[in-house]
Amino acid sequence: MNYIGSKLKLCQSFLPETIRSVCGEDLSQKKFCDIFAGTGIVGRTFKTSVKTIIANDTEYYSYVLNKNYIENHLPLANADALVSELNSLPPKSDGFVFKNYCLGGNGERQYFSDENGMKIDAIRTKIEEWKSSGKVSECEYYFLLCSLLECADKVANTASVYGAYLKHLKKSAQKGMVLEAANFEPNENEHEVFNCDANQLIKEISGDILYLDPPYNARQYGANYHLLNTIAEYKPFEPQGKTGLRKYSRSKYCSASTVKNEFEDLIKNAQFKYVFLSYNNEGLMSCDDIKKIMSKYGRYDLAQTNYQRFKADANRFNKADSTVEYLHILEKRR
């Protein structure tokens, strides 16, 4: 997915190499927590090399992605057959997505083509029916739901996020959506996924490595990805305004007046030996702010790398194409 703050490129070398240089090459007995998991790319990177992954995010669409990519760890025998059956469904013309987020439904919003909106509704409805009837297990349910979210995102008629839709269907949005399997990495270890406030969850968990990737600025993920939450939850509500927003929780990490207190509360309550924080040079907290807070609780260090900006931001308002990504490191006192 084209995702704000994605660590996909950083996971190719910088993150795993830096974390191993601090924690040791052999992570096989370590419990690794990704507490602001997003699409789960960091947890997926370490899934097969650690004992346990704990993944968490307050956004429900993220919870669904991580329930599949992180918590699912054994092969699903019926995966291909289930995907094929869903692809063969007739379109559903009275579904929530079509009626509220396609031109043919309400004559206003155009997040999806009419064809794709009706297909999303048909597949989403059938997945829920299968869950209720017991045709699919919980593992299969989140696998199918994750597959739908990712494939719907590929044909969404947006520039990048769901804060607005485009006036005319772009080329990728004109293509018919085809459900494809969101295949996960099998392994023998069990993992845990939560849908909680990070500052509350941190008081209830413990482990070896805590990775932090909180929001950097005022952009609220609940607003930018509201339609993915709508598809994931699929519960009726009254869409608000031109963009059809749903109610969403506002993160204290997205406010200059609250972020430092919220961050220190998280660090103070973390029951992990090693803490790694990804943050860039344009975040609400400065490097000095972060160093001051983390140094209270143990030995602090810093690694950094240049990083290509999220493409929705590049070249806007004279911004540079790249930014500096910092990895703040804390070995916490016990």
Side-chain angles (χ1 to χ4, degrees):
M1 291 174 60
N2 190 13
Y3 196 70
I4 295 174
S6 172
K7 296 300 179 288
L8 178 60
K9 291 183 179 179
L10 292 179
C11 281
Q12 293 170 2
S13 60
F14 176 68
L15 273 179
E17 288 176 4
T18 306
I19 288 174
R20 282 188 168 89
S21 72
V22 174
C23 305
E25 285 296 321
D26 183 8
L27 304 178
S28 61
Q29 298 306 307
K30 304 293 187 187
K31 180 178 284 190
F32 184 107
C33 177
D34 183 7
I35 207 165
F36 299 94
T39 61
I41 191 63
V42 174
R44 289 159 67 179
T45 298
F46 288 92
K47 181 178 178 180
T48 58
S49 58
V50 300
K51 185 176 182 179
T52 304
I53 295 285
I54 302 173
N56 172 70
D57 203 285
T58 57
E59 299 301 330
Y60 190 72
Y61 70 85
S62 174
Y63 175 71
V64 169
L65 297 180
N66 284 283
K67 286 286 282 187
N68 179 58
Y69 284 120
I70 301 299
E71 192 166 290
N72 277 350
H73 66 103
L74 299 177
L76 303 177
N78 297 323
D80 291 341
L82 293 170
V83 169
S84 178
E85 188 171 346
L86 290 174
N87 269 321
S88 68
L89 292 173
K92 183 176 174 61
S93 60
D94 61 348
F96 190 83
V97 172
F98 174 69
K99 288 196 297 184
N100 291 285
Y101 298 99
C102 300
L103 278 184
N106 65 9
E108 298 177 7
R109 306 180 190 107
Q110 191 174 210
Y111 279 102
F112 298 103
S113 69
D114 290 352
E115 176 190 17
N116 286 333
M118 288 188 284
K119 185 160 189 177
I120 290 168
D121 282 320
I123 292 174
R124 183 64 186 89
T125 301
K126 183 58 68 174
I127 291 173
E128 205 63 29
E129 287 178 2
W130 285 352
K131 179 190 177 186
S132 298
S133 68
K135 177 173 178 174
V136 297
S137 65
E138 180 176 298
C139 295
E140 291 169 329
Y141 174 75
Y142 285 108
F143 159 75
L144 294 172
L145 198 45
C146 174
S147 301
L148 176 59
L149 289 179
E150 291 195 333
C151 292
D153 185 67
K154 289 179 182 177
V155 297
N157 190 42
T158 64
S160 54
V161 297
Y162 294 83
Y165 51 85
L166 302 176
K167 291 183 179 180
H168 304 287
L169 286 174
K170 63 181 183 179
K171 286 186 178 180
S172 59
Q174 293 173 26
K175 296 178 181 178
M177 188 189 78
V178 177
L179 190 67
E180 297 176 348
N183 293 318
F184 54 88
E185 188 79 20
N187 76 326
E188 296 180 357
N189 296 338
E190 294 186 358
H191 310 281
E192 299 178 281
V193 176
F194 296 92
N195 181 213
C196 301
D197 177 274
N199 283 58
Q200 294 301 314
L201 180 63
I202 199 67
K203 300 172 184 177
E204 303 168 14
I205 60 175
S206 62
D208 303 293
I209 302 169
L210 175 64
Y211 175 72
L212 307 175
D213 185 23
Y216 296 172
N217 53 36
R219 289 182 301 210
Q220 296 281 350
Y221 281 74
N224 278 315
Y225 296 97
H226 68 96
L227 199 43
L228 295 184
N229 277 333
T230 293
I231 296 170
E233 294 188 12
Y234 213 65
K235 296 176 181 177
F237 67 95
E238 190 63 38
Q240 298 298 307
K242 185 175 181 180
T243 59
L245 272 176
R246 58 189 294 121
K247 290 182 180 179
Y248 63 93
S249 59
R250 296 180 178 272
S251 172
K252 292 181 180 179
Y253 289 91
C254 295
S255 169
S257 64
T258 56
V259 61
K260 285 189 281 188
N261 286 340
E262 194 77 351
F263 176 64
E264 180 161 3
D265 179 73
L266 187 70
I267 296 298
K268 179 180 66 177
N269 289 305
Q271 300 177 70
F272 289 79
K273 181 177 181 180
Y274 299 105
V275 181
F276 296 87
L277 167 70
S278 281
Y279 215 74
N280 73 20
N281 61 321
E282 297 170 353
L284 293 173
M285 293 189 293
S286 69
C287 276
D288 286 342
D289 291 333
I290 294 169
K291 179 179 180 180
K292 183 177 179 181
I293 291 170
M294 294 182 81
S295 295
K296 293 181 183 179
Y297 299 95
R299 188 169 67 85
Y300 171 85
D301 203 353
L302 178 67
Q304 67 184 69
T305 185
N306 289 329
Y307 187 57
Q308 187 172 353
R309 185 187 301 280
F310 177 68
K311 73 158 110 180
D313 284 346
N315 298 320
R316 294 182 62 196
F317 311 113
N318 298 316
K319 289 183 177 179
D321 288 337
S322 64
T323 184
V324 178
E325 186 78 17
Y326 294 110
L327 188 63
H328 300 268
I329 304 165
L330 171 65
E331 184 175 353
K332 198 172 182 191
R333 289 189 298 267
R334 292 291 185 178

